[in-house]
């Protein structure tokens, strides 16, 4: 007898070191740069008040937090959670893609209209009912016209 390979999901095995990808590194460095700029501004603000050491510690904490935040944005995906509708629909999309698309949306100033579906279906049903009534009225008018024409063409015949 031959061997039989049991199918299994091997997608995650090649992605073991995904956290060390180039994209994650770029986002981490970008976060650290933002943290360095913020630390520099806090140090300058602290030197005005004479407490540059305390502001430097706070700036270093911000530097570390922004570095971690950049790393998370570069590597994490939106988790699937059945409690919220947005996480049902957008589960598995990377956070950086979500942030970039939302920024593009704001820059282009597109408008997104959200409708109450109950109201839409109610309006749709009312519109269909009105249309059916109009069609019935037209059919009746046509039927009455046909009866009148037919009665005119009958010469002396009794109905």
């Amino acid at each position: 007898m031959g061997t039989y390979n049991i199918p299994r999901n091997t997608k995650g095995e090649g992605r073991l070191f995904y956290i060390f990808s180039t994209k994650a590194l770029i986002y981490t460095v970008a976060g650290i740069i933002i943290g360095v700029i913020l630390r520099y501004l806090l140090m300058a603000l602290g030197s005005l008040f004479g407490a540059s050491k305390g502001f430097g510690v706070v700036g270093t904490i911000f530097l570390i937090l922004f570095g971690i935040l950049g790393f998370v944005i570069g590597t994490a995906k939106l988790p699937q959670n059945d409690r919220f509708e947005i996480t049902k629909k957008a589960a598995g999309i990377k956070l950086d893609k979500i942030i970039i698309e939302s920024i593009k949306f704001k820059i282009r100033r597109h408008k997104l209209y959200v409708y109450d579906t109950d109201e839409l279906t109610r309006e749709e049903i009312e519109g269909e009912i009105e249309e059916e009534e109009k069609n019935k009225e037209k059919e009746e008018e046509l039927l009455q016209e046909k009866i009148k024409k037919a009665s005119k063409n009958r010469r002396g015949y009794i109905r």
Side-chain angles (χ1 to χ4, degrees), residues 38-108:
L38 188 64
R39 182 177 186 270
Y40 175 75
L41 291 174
L42 286 174
M43 290 284 287
L45 186 69
S47 65
L48 291 174
F49 293 118
S52 62
K53 191 172 186 177
F55 280 91
V57 171
V58 172
T60 305
I61 292 171
F62 277 126
L63 186 142
I64 292 169
L65 288 177
F66 276 104
I68 292 170
L69 182 67
F71 178 76
V72 169
I73 288 172
T75 58
K77 293 181 178 182
L78 189 68
Q80 182 176 2
N81 188 349
D82 293 335
R83 291 182 189 169
F84 306 108
E85 186 176 348
I86 187 74
T87 56
K88 282 183 191 176
K89 293 180 181 177
I93 299 176
K94 296 184 179 181
L95 291 179
D96 66 329
K97 177 99 172 145
I98 294 170
I99 292 169
I100 289 169
E101 292 298 321
S102 64
I103 290 171
K104 285 181 184 178
F105 186 81
K106 293 286 186 183
I107 288 173
R108 293 181 187 155

Side-chain angles (χ1 to χ4, degrees), residues 8-22:
R8 61 190 178 114
N9 185 7
T10 59
K11 183 178 178 184
E13 291 179 5
R15 300 172 61 101
L16 185 61
F17 294 107
Y18 176 73
I19 59 172
F20 301 114
S21 68
T22 308

